[in-house]
Amino acid sequence: MEDCLFCKIIKGEIPSNKVFEDEFTFAFRDINPAAPTHILVIPKTHISGLNDLNNENINIMTKLTSTAREICDTEGIESEGYRWVINSGEDGGQTVFHLHLHILGGRNLKWPPG
Ligand code: AMP
Ligand code: ZN
């Protein structure tokens, strides 16, 4: 999508600190990290968020989680623990409307979140 920040990051039009890329997914470090490890995993196709998932595109969740699993391994946060988050809509705190899974780790994360 033309005016989407994360679509521009995928295309390289906006620089990012890339961690991983394959045919379906792209991962990069969050510009404003909330934890020592804070990585965003996104689909290469534009899906605006959880509400946009349907039977046609739901398989992307397998690709996102598969990439996220691999990254948790390579980042070395598996044994200590970590958290995956997908914010949705205003109450969920979503600010970028291109589906993204946050990987947070490297510190003791509090629960429940604010
Ligand atoms: P959310 O609030 O769940 O929509 O998450 C959006 C995330 O994108 C926030 O954690 C931002 O810090 C992050 N973010 C925004 N712009 C950029 C960027 N140019 N590069 C990397 N991360 C970004
Ligand atoms: Zn997009």
Side-chain angles (χ1 to χ4, degrees), residues 4 7 46 98:
C4 171
C7 283
H46 181 86
H98 180 124

Side-chain angles (χ1 to χ4, degrees), residues 16-56:
S16 72
N17 194 340
K18 183 168 90 171
V19 172
F20 179 91
E21 180 177 8
D22 66 11
E23 190 183 347
F24 301 102
T25 66
F26 191 97
F28 54 103
R29 294 194 191 275
D30 197 292
I31 204 166
N32 183 22
T37 297
H38 189 173
I39 293 165
L40 303 175
V41 185
I42 66 178
K44 282 192 168 175
T45 53
H46 181 86
I47 295 171
S48 62
L50 290 177
N51 288 347
D52 253 15
L53 289 171
N54 55 50
N55 286 339
E56 318 280 70

Side-chain angles (χ1 to χ4, degrees), residues 37-110:
T37 297
H38 189 173
I39 293 165
L40 303 175
V41 185
I42 66 178
K44 282 192 168 175
T45 53
H46 181 86
I47 295 171
S48 62
L50 290 177
N51 288 347
D52 253 15
L53 289 171
N54 55 50
N55 286 339
E56 318 280 70
N57 64 17
I58 193 74
N59 288 343
I60 195 65
M61 292 306 291
T62 306
K63 307 288 186 196
L64 284 187
T65 52
S66 160
T67 293
R69 278 289 300 112
E70 206 162 310
I71 290 170
C72 288
D73 181 12
T74 54
E75 287 290 311
I77 54 175
E78 274 187 338
S79 57
E80 295 298 319
Y82 55 87
R83 186 174 295 163
W84 292 355
V85 174
I86 300 178
N87 297 320
S88 178
E90 201 180 332
D91 277 359
Q94 184 178 9
T95 59
V96 177
F97 288 83
H98 180 124
L99 182 65
H100 52 282
L101 181 152
H102 296 254
I103 298 174
L104 295 155
R107 69 170 171 85
N108 191 252
L109 300 162
K110 303 298 171 221

